[in-house]
Amino acid sequence: MRLVVGLGNPGAEYSRTRHNLGFMAVEEFCRQSGWRWSRHECEARTARGRLGAVEVLVAQPQTFMNASGEVVACLLRSAGAHPEDLLVICDDVALDFGTLRV
């Protein structure tokens, strides 16, 4: 199981801001993959699917970003995944807009 978490803040005031880049990225990934947001787990909106032989859980924590660590820890536990199975997508004000760091 792999876990992909897009970080952002819930609420209309943040919906199309740079701070919600993680939310936007996982929404687009799920749209292009045909995956449906179908559940709420550990205070997160979630979708599941497969990439080849790998099962993937995609999540958008529904807490503010500074509390997302608790949500991610809960998702890892409930999925039986490990930190090395985790990809977090978020904005970084230290990077120029359009720059990606992995």
Side-chain angles (χ1 to χ4, degrees), residues 21-89:
L21 177 85
F23 275 14
M24 290 184 269
V26 295
E27 283 174 6
E28 183 61 17
F29 171 80
C30 286
R31 187 189 70 73
Q32 288 188 22
S33 300
W35 297 4
R36 303 230 183 271
W37 297 99
S38 58
R39 300 179 59 181
H40 274 80
E41 304 174 55
C42 299
E43 292 188 73
R45 183 177 175 222
T46 61
R48 291 176 183 262
R50 297 190 79 75
L51 291 175
V54 178
E55 185 177 0
V56 180
L57 173 64
V58 178
Q60 291 177 321
Q62 296 301 294
T63 60
F64 283 94
M65 197 176 283
N66 60 347
S68 61
E70 297 170 25
V71 175
V72 172
C74 178
L75 289 167
L76 284 169
R77 281 192 305 275
S78 71
H82 303 282
E84 57 269 17
D85 301 320
L86 172 65
L87 172 66
V88 177
I89 303 171

Side-chain angles (χ1 to χ4, degrees), residues 3-21:
L3 175 59
V4 178
V5 179
L7 296 186
N9 283 324
E13 67 187 279
Y14 300 103
S15 68
R16 301 303 297 172
T17 66
R18 178 179 175 174
H19 200 53
N20 273 23
L21 177 85

